[in-house]
Amino acid sequence: MNLPETRGKLTPNAPLAPLVWFKSGGAAEWLFEPADADDLASFLAALDPATPVMGLGLGSNMIVRDGGVPGVVIRLGKAFAAVEQLDETTLRCGGGASGILVSSKARDWGIGGIEFLRSIPGTVGGFVRMNGGAYGRETCDILVECDIVLRSGERRVLANADLGYTYRHSSLPEGAIVVSATFRGFAKPSDEIQAEMDRIAAAREESQPLRSKTGGSTFKNPEGHKAWVLVDAAGCRGLRRGDAQVSEKHCNFLLNLGEATSADIEALGEDVRARVKAQSGVELEWEIQRVGVAK
């Protein structure tokens, strides 16, 4: 594959397992870490339009299949992790900034309403694309606009209303990379923000298997239901396939107990979906993104 010139870093056959929370899966045909947004835009503009492109954040909500990912995987590094204050209640955040960094900066500047990002193990780009949310708040509640680079290399600014937000979904164009987002909260004392962040962190620690190789919430909550309740009622708590297991602590989480392949993890998820459908008639929808090709 002939790739365009870049000021960033291009790595062929780059292992992705170390970059995702499940610690499983194959390699990227190419891993591209752009120097800045202009570098990303010029690279995509010159890249063969037939070449697949995929963005990768913290890899927390993703199964990378064992055959790897064809084309170019784009990972936004430190150049995209800055968070700046625009006014009393508004932040501009790089697409590679983590939820912990964004919520901590908001706390320092007395901006409330952003605390929930503390609990989501991902980056701003992923929050915008998936309408990431937790503890009663979602990205659509705070997003003003986002700066994106389309697959064609075109730069564009999209307002909240342009993104067609629904539960864990946006209409962000396929292949678009979010290079920054503007969030707006409200004035709130920093100590109250910290107390709320502490409450969220404690609740997550108590209820979720945070110290395991996992992918976060596996299935979306169906209308009128909690996914974990359906999974539990179907007898799936602790269910295993090889080294892949449904968490006993929170059964909407899948775990890699050691040497599980991505095929094991995905197949376990399908086992759970089948059992829930048979037991309750409800069809669970994957929340975790599954990418690449099977081996």
Side-chain angles (χ1 to χ4, degrees), residues 23 51 102 118 148 154 177 194 247:
K23 303 304 178 195
T51 302
V102 173
R118 164 69 179 79
I148 68 171
E154 179 190 350
I177 303 295
Q194 183 62 57
S247 170

Side-chain angles (χ1 to χ4, degrees), residues 278-295:
Q279 198 273 336
S280 65
V282 177
E283 190 147 349
L284 290 177
E285 185 181 345
W286 284 91
E287 182 171 332
I288 286 180
Q289 190 180 6
R290 293 152 298 138
V291 302
V293 295
K295 199 164 184 178

Side-chain angles (χ1 to χ4, degrees), residues 106-145:
R107 174 204 61 208
D108 295 346
W109 294 323
I111 301 174
I114 316 288
E115 297 94 332
F116 73 99
L117 293 183
R118 164 69 179 79
S119 68
I120 310 176
T123 58
V124 165
F127 303 155
V128 171
R129 176 170 288 282
M130 293 300 297
N131 193 18
Y135 298 97
R137 300 275 284 170
E138 295 179 308
T139 301
C140 64
D141 297 325
I142 61 172
L143 181 75
V144 178
E145 63 184 26

Side-chain angles (χ1 to χ4, degrees), residues 16 25-29 52 54 62-71 73 262 266 289-295:
L16 294 178
E29 187 175 358
M54 185 194 88
M62 177 178 287
I63 295 172
V64 174
R65 293 183 173 117
D66 300 306
V69 180
V73 173
S262 289
E266 188 170 2
Q289 190 180 6
R290 293 152 298 138
V291 302
V293 295
K295 199 164 184 178

Side-chain angles (χ1 to χ4, degrees), residues 9-294:
K9 182 181 178 185
L10 273 168
T11 307
N13 196 33
L16 294 178
L19 304 180
V20 299
W21 280 37
F22 273 124
K23 303 304 178 195
S24 67
E29 187 175 358
W30 287 93
L31 180 67
F32 176 40
E33 298 167 274
D36 51 36
D38 289 338
D39 186 39
L40 173 61
S42 61
F43 177 87
L44 289 177
L47 184 66
D48 181 344
T51 302
V53 167
M54 185 194 88
L56 175 66
L58 292 185
S60 58
N61 198 236
M62 177 178 287
I63 295 172
V64 174
R65 293 183 173 117
D66 300 306
V69 180
V72 178
V73 173
I74 296 171
R75 189 167 188 247
L76 304 184
K78 288 184 179 178
F80 296 86
V83 179
E84 59 179 320
Q85 183 178 17
L86 299 183
D87 61 35
E88 277 192 6
T89 58
T90 311
L91 306 170
R92 181 183 291 125
C93 312
S98 70
I100 289 178
L101 176 63
V102 173
S103 57
S104 297
K105 290 288 190 181
R107 174 204 61 208
D108 295 346
W109 294 323
I111 301 174
I114 316 288
E115 297 94 332
F116 73 99
L117 293 183
R118 164 69 179 79
S119 68
I120 310 176
T123 58
V124 165
F127 303 155
V128 171
R129 176 170 288 282
M130 293 300 297
N131 193 18
Y135 298 97
R137 300 275 284 170
E138 295 179 308
T139 301
C140 64
D141 297 325
I142 61 172
L143 181 75
V144 178
E145 63 184 26
C146 61
D147 182 8
I148 68 171
V149 179
L150 296 174
R151 173 61 185 84
S152 64
E154 179 190 350
R155 295 279 293 269
R156 190 175 291 178
V157 176
L158 298 181
N160 186 318
D162 298 327
L163 289 164
Y165 275 130
T166 56
Y167 173 63
R168 300 294 176 268
H169 174 80
S170 76
S171 55
L172 195 71
E174 190 67 31
I177 303 295
V178 177
V179 293
S180 72
T182 302
F183 295 144
R184 180 168 293 137
F186 47 83
K188 185 176 179 179
S190 293
D191 58 343
E192 293 182 19
I193 295 172
Q194 183 62 57
E196 174 65 4
M197 288 169 63
D198 289 346
R199 184 192 71 78
I200 287 171
R204 285 190 73 229
E205 183 73 38
E206 183 180 349
S207 66
Q208 299 176 12
L210 301 180
R211 304 184 190 285
S212 306
K213 292 188 282 189
T214 184
S217 293
T218 305
F219 304 110
K220 298 179 182 180
N221 289 325
E223 189 73 38
H225 298 277
K226 292 283 190 185
W228 77 265
V229 173
L230 295 170
V231 173
D232 203 14
C236 296
R237 187 182 292 268
L239 185 67
R240 286 185 63 165
R241 182 184 275 252
D243 261 0
Q245 183 186 43
V246 176
S247 170
E248 296 184 0
K249 188 172 188 179
H250 189 313
C251 50
N252 196 26
F253 283 62
L254 302 182
L255 309 178
N256 177 357
L257 298 181
E259 302 301 320
T261 64
S262 289
D264 292 334
I265 297 165
E266 188 170 2
L268 177 61
E270 292 298 338
D271 290 345
V272 171
R273 293 181 71 232
R275 289 193 182 202
V276 168
K277 180 73 181 293
Q279 198 273 336
S280 65
V282 177
E283 190 147 349
L284 290 177
E285 185 181 345
W286 284 91
E287 182 171 332
I288 286 180
Q289 190 180 6
R290 293 152 298 138
V291 302
V293 295

